[in-house]
Amino acid sequence: MQASVSDLWETIADEAAAESGLWAQALLPDGERELEPVFSPLGEPRFALGLETIYEGYLLHYGRPRLFSPTDHDNALLLGDYLYAHGLVRIASFDQVGAVSDLAELISLCAQVRAGRFDGDGAAWAASAALLGRGRLDAARDALRQEGDAAPLLALAHECAGAEAVHAALAAHHLRVG
């Protein structure tokens, strides 16, 4: 189920379009798609397709998606939810329960961050991508959830993926969600 970067976008788009005519209509024309992976370069290549599928769902909920432009907010939410679920199924195919759990926690934590209108979703994405399924995120997620402190998540991301790669991912994320 691992996909090359060039196939990753085509797979996300083609499978969503095959799933629903609404999703097919929401696809941006080929020349308008922004095919930039954001957080998957921080993690294991086998998780790239699942991570970018879930992140595209996140962008449909909270930012500027790369592949889709739904006609209204309701369709954006539905497509985002579909992509969350589809991405989790992709990750689950690796029989890594910890990775699925980390992503479910990420989705929940980022919804809390967005609802509370405080920073930290980028740090949560970076750390989750870099440490997916390794069982090292709980305390750092709690710091963000309970104290609004993203520093422990950033430290973990830097430790595992390198400061330069994390900085690039966060800059790309900021352009998509503000």
Side-chain angles (χ1 to χ4, degrees):
M1 192 175 279
Q2 184 176 345
S4 72
V5 173
S6 61
D7 293 338
L8 184 141
W9 307 109
E10 189 173 326
T11 300
I12 295 170
D14 288 351
E15 290 184 3
E19 186 73 26
S20 168
L22 284 174
W23 310 157
Q25 291 173 1
L27 276 169
L28 289 166
D30 288 342
E32 294 179 28
R33 297 177 188 175
E34 298 176 48
L35 309 180
E36 176 187 9
V38 175
F39 291 108
S40 63
L42 304 180
E44 294 181 42
R46 67 184 174 143
F47 294 138
L49 181 58
L51 278 168
E52 294 299 340
T53 301
I54 294 167
Y55 187 64
E56 187 71 7
Y58 184 74
L59 293 174
L60 281 153
H61 284 198
Y62 302 109
R64 192 170 51 83
R66 301 162 293 186
L67 297 174
F68 299 95
S69 182
T71 56
D72 60 47
H73 181 68
D74 290 339
N75 281 325
L77 288 176
L78 288 171
L79 177 53
D81 288 351
Y82 161 78
L83 291 171
Y84 278 169
H86 206 63
L88 287 169
V89 167
R90 292 181 190 290
I91 299 297
S93 73
F94 295 107
D95 293 325
Q96 297 288 313
V97 174
V100 174
S101 178
D102 281 344
L103 290 167
E105 286 284 337
L106 173 66
I107 292 167
S108 173
L109 179 58
C110 287
Q112 181 181 352
V113 167
R114 286 288 168 178
R117 300 195 192 290
F118 58 94
D119 290 331
D121 65 326
W125 271 98
S128 296
L131 289 113
L132 194 57
R134 296 185 196 175
R136 294 183 51 203
L137 294 165
D138 288 343
R141 283 191 299 241
D142 286 345
L144 179 57
R145 183 179 289 114
Q146 296 168 5
E147 302 161 23
D149 183 6
L153 287 165
L154 281 176
L156 284 172
H158 286 163
E159 173 190 322
C160 290
E164 186 176 323
V166 171
H167 177 74
L170 293 175
H173 174 69
H174 181 73
L175 291 173
R176 304 225 73 83
V177 299

